[in-house]
Amino acid sequence: MPNPTPAMTRPSRSTTHDTAELLLVDLATARYAPGDSLDVDTIVREHRVTPGEVHLALFELRRMKVVVRAPFSGAHVVVWHRRFNEVLLGDLVRMISVASTKATSLEEVPEPAVRRPACAAHGLTLPMDVAHFLDLARAIVQVLSPAARQHVQDDLLLPLEILCSSRAVEVHDMRPALGESVRGAIVDLVEAAAHFGDWARLPGLASEYVTALGVDEPRGRPVD
């Protein structure tokens, strides 16, 4: 299993979001495995952040549902695993379904602010089809309320931008069910439906994409 980057080579971070992103990168690169406990003192030392920032970051990770607080002990335990991205993507599809009832075409949706995927700040990259799909989702949900948009950005898109990275796919052997060209074709259909006002098709197409991106293994296989 890959070792964490030595603490002396890590840039100093000062915000809760940055700390949460660093911990997501740790998950993506297999620094922690499902069932591992996250030790505050270790995170403080490795990432050169304050205990307060770590506690706030752990709160964010709980909200993303990638870690949980264990009963009685209060320890934060990793629950994210190789199939969990499908859960996050399923939640994103549900938000797209809500958005699909509120606009007639993508041309009527306010343009989201241009931004780099969170993974880019950590030397990670997204497969082209995944980056395209998440960009479309960010645009589509602009029709939702500010609170709903914030939920999508912070709790769904941010973790997906890191946990769907090519590095995470490689390290966790998350081989997608269908190849990148087929997945890209589905995303192109999502974009076309959004642009031409066929928003009723968006939930179905987005669901098809999630299935295509899902890990290629029997559903009944135990999670490792």
Side-chain angles (χ1 to χ4, degrees):
M1 191 170 288
N3 293 320
T5 305
M8 70 283 294
T9 66
R10 294 177 187 266
S12 179
R13 302 283 175 168
S14 60
T15 70
T16 301
H17 283 290
D18 283 341
T19 305
E21 286 182 23
L22 288 170
L23 293 176
L24 286 171
V25 172
D26 283 343
L27 297 182
T29 56
R31 168 67 176 86
Y32 297 106
D36 284 351
S37 294
L38 300 176
D39 180 71
V40 172
D41 291 338
T42 299
I43 296 169
V44 167
R45 183 176 65 254
E46 290 181 353
H47 291 301
R48 296 195 298 171
V49 292
T50 67
E53 287 168 346
V54 175
H55 286 296
L56 289 172
L58 291 173
F59 173 80
E60 288 196 10
L61 296 183
R62 291 204 311 271
R63 198 182 59 220
M64 297 173 193
K65 303 177 184 176
V66 299
V67 303
V68 296
R69 189 193 292 272
F72 308 115
S73 70
H76 286 83
V77 179
V78 174
V79 294
W80 181 85
H81 54 78
R82 54 194 264 139
R83 298 212 70 133
F84 194 84
N85 286 357
E86 295 167 56
V87 176
L88 295 173
L89 286 163
D91 287 344
L92 182 57
V93 169
R94 282 188 281 277
M95 300 305 291
I96 289 174
S97 297
V98 174
S100 69
T101 66
K102 298 180 179 294
T104 57
S105 81
L106 203 57
E107 305 301 329
E108 298 181 0
V109 177
E111 190 76 20
V114 176
R115 63 182 298 278
R116 298 170 67 203
C119 63
H122 307 283
L124 304 174
T125 58
L126 285 171
M128 289 184 62
D129 63 290
V130 178
H132 190 186
F133 179 75
L134 297 182
D135 280 343
L136 282 173
R138 183 176 296 104
I140 290 167
V141 301
Q142 293 301 304
V143 300
L144 300 178
S145 69
R149 292 199 306 270
Q150 198 67 48
H151 162 65
V152 171
Q153 177 57 51
D154 292 346
D155 302 339
L156 301 177
L157 292 177
L158 173 61
L160 286 168
E161 286 173 347
I162 293 174
L163 298 172
C164 284
S165 65
S166 298
R167 179 62 176 155
V169 171
E170 176 188 356
V171 169
H172 295 279
D173 193 27
M174 298 189 295
R175 289 169 290 184
L178 296 177
E180 188 169 351
S181 61
V182 177
R183 302 194 314 265
I186 298 173
V187 178
D188 288 342
L189 290 174
V190 173
E191 183 173 27
H195 271 293
F196 291 107
D198 196 2
W199 279 54
R201 294 186 62 203
L202 292 182
L205 289 170
S207 294
E208 288 180 19
Y209 178 72
V210 172
T211 300
L213 189 62
V215 179
D216 187 17
E217 63 185 9
R219 287 279 178 177
R221 176 176 168 178
V223 173
D224 53 23

